[in-house]
Amino acid sequence: MITKTKLTVRYAETDQMGIVHHSNYPVWYEAGRTDFIKAMGRSYSQIEAEGVLFPLLELHCKYIQAAKYEDVVIIETTLTKLTMVKAEFSYRVYRERDGVLLNTGSTVHGMVTKELRPVNMKKEKPEIYTMLEKVLEI
């Protein structure tokens, strides 16, 4: 499954040159990941209410072209790896008007309890694990 999140670059996200500051891409990844999880059938807050958190373990980000103020960007999000205690999401950010690829990246998240203890999702939360497994892109 691939989801697409559309955002318009806001002035506050740009630097003095009118180019999106690099620190915004991880925030955009989060927006894409939130939409992806929602598209699976549960919101992130519902998963949290069931006692599972997804803390960030790794972040990779490659800048290819610049996004500028008022560009409309699309964040494509997919789940690319899944183990019983980790999930990896991949992202492609491109400009809507011309389809130019601006950025690629990935994030790895642990799956833990509210006490930050690893959760074997397949064993302890099989409904959520199955939901993730069904949308896994290989």
Side-chain angles (χ1 to χ4, degrees):
M1 177 173 84
I2 297 173
T3 59
K4 295 183 179 189
T5 302
K6 185 187 289 193
L7 299 173
T8 301
V9 175
R10 297 168 293 189
Y11 188 79
E13 294 172 316
T14 64
D15 59 20
Q16 190 174 10
M17 299 175 287
I19 294 172
V20 170
H21 191 267
H22 65 274
S23 64
N24 289 290
Y25 287 87
V27 175
W28 293 354
Y29 294 171
E30 183 177 351
R33 191 171 56 256
T34 299
D35 286 350
F36 184 91
I37 290 170
K38 215 177 273 185
M40 290 188 321
R42 283 194 178 133
S43 70
Y44 185 70
S45 59
Q46 287 173 314
I47 292 173
E48 283 184 334
E50 293 178 48
V52 179
L53 305 176
F54 286 76
L56 182 68
L57 302 175
E58 294 179 32
L59 167 68
H60 300 276
C61 194
K62 182 177 179 183
Y63 304 97
I64 301 165
Q65 291 281 326
K68 297 184 177 179
Y69 176 56
E70 293 187 339
D71 278 348
V72 175
V73 297
I74 306 293
I75 300 97
E76 290 184 347
T77 306
T78 188
L79 179 66
T80 48
K81 289 183 186 174
L82 179 66
T83 71
M84 289 175 256
V85 296
K86 290 183 191 175
E88 179 179 300
F89 294 87
S90 293
Y91 312 92
R92 292 174 36 90
V93 180
Y94 61 91
R95 192 170 32 241
E96 184 182 51
R97 70 176 151 78
D98 57 10
V100 169
L101 183 63
L102 305 173
N103 177 281
T104 60
S106 64
T107 56
V108 177
H109 301 264
M111 293 181 266
V112 302
T113 65
K114 291 181 179 181
E115 294 77 33
L116 303 179
R117 292 193 179 101
V119 175
N120 179 328
M121 295 293 284
K122 193 170 187 175
K123 183 178 177 183
E124 297 177 44
K125 301 288 183 180
E127 312 83 26
I128 297 171
Y129 184 82
T130 301
M131 185 176 65
L132 289 164
E133 198 173 41
K134 284 181 182 175
V135 299
L136 182 63
E137 287 290 319
I138 298 175

